[in-house]
Amino acid sequence: MERWWFPAMLVVALMLPAAAKGLARHYKFSVVMKNTTKLCASKPIVTVNGKFPGPTLYAREDDTVLVQVVNHVSYNVTIHWHGVRQLRTCWSDGPAYITQCPIRPGQSYVYNFTLTGQRGTLLWHAHITWLRSTLHGAIVILPKRGVPYPFPKPSKEKIIILGEWWKADTELVISQSVQSGLPPNISDAHTINGHPGPFPSCSSQGYTLHVESGKTYLLRIVNAAVNDELFFKIAGHNLTVVEVDASYTKPFSIDTIFIAPGQTTNVLLAAHQSGGTYLMAISPFMDTIVGVDNLTATGIMQYSGTHVSTATVRASIPAINATSVEFSFINSLQSLNSKRYPANVPLAIDHSLLFTMSVGVNPCSTCVNGSKLVAALNNVSFVMPSTDILEAHYHKIRGVYTDNFPGNPPMTFNYTGTPPSNMQTMNGTRVYKLAYNSTVQIVLQGTSIIAPENHPTHLHGFNFFAVGKGLGNYDPNKDPKNFNLVDPVERNTIGVPTGGWTAIRFRADNPGVWFLHCHLEVHTTWGLKMVFIVEDGDGPSESLLPPPSDLPKC
Ligand SMILES: *[C@@H]1O[C@H](CO)[C@@H](O)[C@H](O)[C@H]1NC(C)=O
Ligand SMILES: *[C@@H]1O[C@H](CO)[C@@H](O)[C@H](O)[C@H]1NC(C)=O
Ligand SMILES: *[C@@H]1O[C@H](CO)[C@@H](O)[C@H](O)[C@H]1NC(C)=O
Ligand SMILES: *[C@@H]1O[C@H](CO)[C@@H](O)[C@H](O)[C@H]1NC(C)=O
Ligand SMILES: *[C@@H]1O[C@H](CO)[C@@H](O)[C@H](O)[C@H]1NC(C)=O
Ligand SMILES: *[C@@H]1O[C@H](CO)[C@@H](O)[C@H](O)[C@H]1NC(C)=O
Ligand SMILES: *[C@@H]1O[C@H](CO)[C@@H](O)[C@H](O)[C@H]1NC(C)=O
Ligand SMILES: *[C@@H]1O[C@H](CO)[C@@H](O)[C@H](O)[C@H]1NC(C)=O
Ligand SMILES: *[C@@H]1O[C@H](CO)[C@@H](O)[C@H](O)[C@H]1NC(C)=O
Ligand SMILES: *[C@@H]1O[C@H](CO)[C@@H](O)[C@H](O)[C@H]1NC(C)=O
Ligand SMILES: *[C@@H]1O[C@H](CO)[C@@H](O)[C@H](O)[C@H]1NC(C)=O
Ligand SMILES: *[C@@H]1O[C@H](CO)[C@@H](O)[C@H](O)[C@H]1NC(C)=O
Ligand SMILES: [Cu+2]
């Protein structure tokens, strides 16, 4: 036996560098009110450190990030690190009443998580009521030191954050809607890095992207809008997509990006023109009969040495219902699936789930019409508990949730055909339990209840693979034959086509309480959300850490 001792030591020594820790990055987020002037009107907004959009959080893969959030405003606050996997650190995920109680006025909380196996662009945002309309910013995770991008190194990197702006206080907009039962007022403008661009009856300055001819830029594009899916384009320039949701893709060139709230897209922009100014535009996408803010926000891409007075090269803006433009982008997405960045798609499935997504109407005696708009997954409108589900799960507190979320629709019907006349939903704080390391397929099935609509759906705690999609009703006999199980795109937020379905797969290898919801905030408010509880596995490395001592109390 003796002779094995030495080689074994050697193996341990060789493994050490790979397991080396990254740096600890400390951030302080002071949540404060700040007066802002936009659309020719000044109003106080909730910000982090007085900035809109908020500060960018920079780190490298393997770094531990510590963000002390101090609440100086009169609202309850929580922050979510959208797309960060939070391995064993569910306590730092952020959705209010799901993984933590809110940070109350005057209180603070330290979010503490390690960036494992992820690199790219993500976003952080408030995860309580509608505060994320102004409380958001980018997360940039650089590859480990010495590890190059799997694409040509850009000369410079730029962050482009897309937002949605209301002249009114957004907390008032949503509280009025909840009280009346009617849809919330639509926004008044879209923004690029906080700038709405030329706006009717108000001369506001658009965002300017300064470039030098001959250089290549990596644009880290974040959709932080509240309810609007957006197209993004720059006149005279194609964009090479290299990453979405902090997962590398096979590069492809396209003239218009489609990006839903919560999604991120990295593109290479070659400044191949000799000079001039080129229009940059974001415009909304809505291919159904739902009211939406239809205003385009514009900025310019300006070459150095170009006179500001130079006529800007314009671009054609996609029609608001340009489903074909949406599809040509989505259909081009594939995982890079290289040796270094493989697509580990689960092939055997333990839980095969079908979730219908619908909007409905429930009685409400105090509402304007005696009824209120609601939304549901499998006909269950999720009811927020008054204490967080994670603590209830961890401390085995009864009465906070039930574990009977249905894995299939309680009633089968022609989901995308004539909707049932009864548009009521059930309600409850229902969760679906998963054993550690089990594999899950969810078919997210759109329905035509009230109207078919595109729902960008976000899963916390995991990346998933989008293995298939289609129009109409999912067919469990035919459709899986066309699934891409080799190099499907890997993401954390995915659109479910209007009047269609999307199939996603993931491995439940992260213990905790994980939210799944539509990332159109209006639908989340109405109940289009549910929770997965992933049980601990064997031993500490497969178990949730204990709660931090400063975890806020309800
Ligand atoms: C914002 O401006 C208003 C008047 O325009 C002023 O009363 C208020 O104190 C300001 N608030 C902050 C936080 O600066
Ligand atoms: C962060 O969490 C780790 C456990 O993952 C713990 O060891 C460390 O003490 C925490 N740091 C702070 C500042 O809370
Ligand atoms: C929403 O719109 C209604 C109708 O136009 C208006 O009366 C109300 O004041 C608006 N709410 C807010 C918060 O701006
Ligand atoms: C963008 O790509 C399309 C299709 O590949 C091509 O037809 C077009 O000329 C390109 N436009 C620019 C400005 O490079
Ligand atoms: C945008 O929507 C408004 C109503 O909200 C409508 O009056 C206007 O015609 C629309 N504009 C376009 C270009 O569709
Ligand atoms: C988009 O909307 C326009 C104007 O309402 C309509 O004429 C057109 O048919 C629509 N296109 C599609 C693809 O639905
Ligand atoms: C009340 O409901 C009816 C029928 O659903 C609808 O036509 C009407 O517009 C609603 N009233 C308001 C104020 O929204
Ligand atoms: C469902 O409804 C659609 C649209 O009306 C129709 O085309 C389709 O044939 C229906 N499917 C079934 C199975 O009835
Ligand atoms: C949803 O649940 C409500 C309340 O139980 C019921 O009336 C309705 O028929 C159900 N609808 C569907 C589509 O399952
Ligand atoms: C849940 O449904 C019950 C019965 O339909 C209703 O009385 C209650 O108000 C609903 N709760 C919520 C939060 O919508
Ligand atoms: C999870 O399951 C896969 C496939 O069944 C297996 O290869 C892997 O070792 C398991 N991982 C853990 C941590 O149990
Ligand atoms: C803040 O959260 C606490 C704990 O859930 C709750 O009791 C309180 O009512 C909330 N305050 C506001 C202003 O929403
Ligand atoms: Cu939705």
Side-chain angles (χ1 to χ4, degrees), residues 436-437 507 542:
Y436 182 84
N437 204 34
R507 179 178 294 281
E542 297 180 3

Side-chain angles (χ1 to χ4, degrees), residues 168 172-173 176 185:
L172 196 56
V173 170
Q176 271 183 0
N185 293 356

Side-chain angles (χ1 to χ4, degrees), residues 8-53:
M9 282 300 284
L10 206 62
V11 169
V12 169
L14 286 172
M15 277 166 64
L16 271 176
K21 290 243 169 73
L23 299 175
R25 308 256 179 177
H26 293 259
Y27 282 86
K28 184 164 176 181
F29 277 21
S30 293
V31 180
V32 292
M33 298 305 293
K34 173 85 178 177
N35 276 346
T36 306
T37 308
K38 285 211 195 327
L39 309 186
C40 305
S42 140
K43 71 162 182 174
I45 60 168
V46 185
T47 66
V48 164
N49 301 347
K51 294 193 167 128
F52 175 76

Side-chain angles (χ1 to χ4, degrees), residues 128-184:
I128 183 165
T129 60
W130 275 28
L131 287 179
R132 77 174 175 87
S133 64
T134 58
L135 273 188
H136 60 247
I139 301 176
V140 173
I141 311 171
L142 298 169
K144 296 181 208 198
R145 200 169 286 283
V147 176
Y149 293 131
F151 46 80
K153 190 176 189 295
S155 320
K156 275 199 173 139
E157 304 196 357
K158 305 269 186 177
I159 290 168
I160 309 273
I161 299 180
L162 314 180
E164 206 178 341
W165 189 261
W166 277 258
K167 287 180 181 168
D169 171 7
T170 45
E171 288 303 285
L172 196 56
V173 170
I174 190 55
S175 66
Q176 271 183 0
S177 160
V178 167
Q179 255 177 1
S180 66
L182 302 175

Side-chain angles (χ1 to χ4, degrees), residues 236-446:
H237 296 78
N238 283 336
L239 305 166
T240 302
V241 178
V242 292
E243 180 223 300
V244 294
D245 295 3
S247 300
Y248 292 129
T249 62
K250 289 195 176 71
F252 64 95
S253 170
I254 200 154
D255 67 355
T256 306
I257 300 299
F258 171 75
I259 186 164
Q263 292 184 331
T264 52
T265 305
N266 279 10
V267 302
L268 293 171
L269 166 67
H272 60 79
Q273 307 280 5
S274 55
T277 61
Y278 295 82
L279 193 80
M280 177 189 298
I282 56 168
S283 62
F285 167 68
M286 179 54 79
D287 60 351
T288 185
I289 52 157
V290 172
V292 68
D293 171 359
N294 57 16
L295 287 167
T296 296
T298 59
I300 58 170
M301 169 181 179
Q302 183 179 350
Y303 280 81
S304 64
T306 302
H307 248 269
V308 198
S309 59
T310 310
T312 296
V313 177
R314 305 197 68 83
S316 61
I317 307 298
I320 194 160
N321 57 358
T323 312
S324 59
V325 179
E326 176 211 6
F327 281 173
S328 57
F329 177 79
I330 291 173
N331 293 342
S332 305
L333 290 170
Q334 287 168 296
S335 280
L336 181 59
N337 192 29
S338 63
K339 212 172 225 161
R340 185 165 192 136
Y341 304 104
N344 293 317
V345 187
L347 299 178
I349 294 298
D350 301 318
H351 297 263
S352 188
L353 312 177
L354 178 67
F355 289 1
T356 57
M357 315 184 85
S358 57
V359 174
V361 183
N362 279 358
C364 169
S365 58
T366 56
C367 295
V368 168
N369 248 349
S371 65
K372 62 174 178 186
L373 286 161
V374 291
L377 284 165
N378 276 347
N379 205 32
V380 181
S381 296
F382 188 87
V383 176
M384 280 303 212
S386 51
T387 178
D388 66 291
I389 295 178
L390 181 56
E391 279 183 282
H393 163 63
Y394 188 83
H395 297 298
K396 303 189 167 57
I397 302 165
R398 293 180 157 271
V400 176
Y401 62 86
T402 55
D403 59 6
N404 59 347
F405 184 86
N408 284 283
M411 183 174 101
T412 47
F413 58 100
N414 187 345
Y415 305 119
T416 52
T418 310
S421 54
N422 176 358
M423 294 188 294
Q424 284 192 37
T425 65
M426 300 178 272
N427 65 35
T429 307
R430 302 195 189 185
V431 313
Y432 190 96
K433 284 203 170 171
L434 297 168
Y436 182 84
N437 204 34
S438 57
T439 53
V440 185
Q441 172 176 296
I442 312 172
V443 174
L444 297 160
Q445 173 70 62

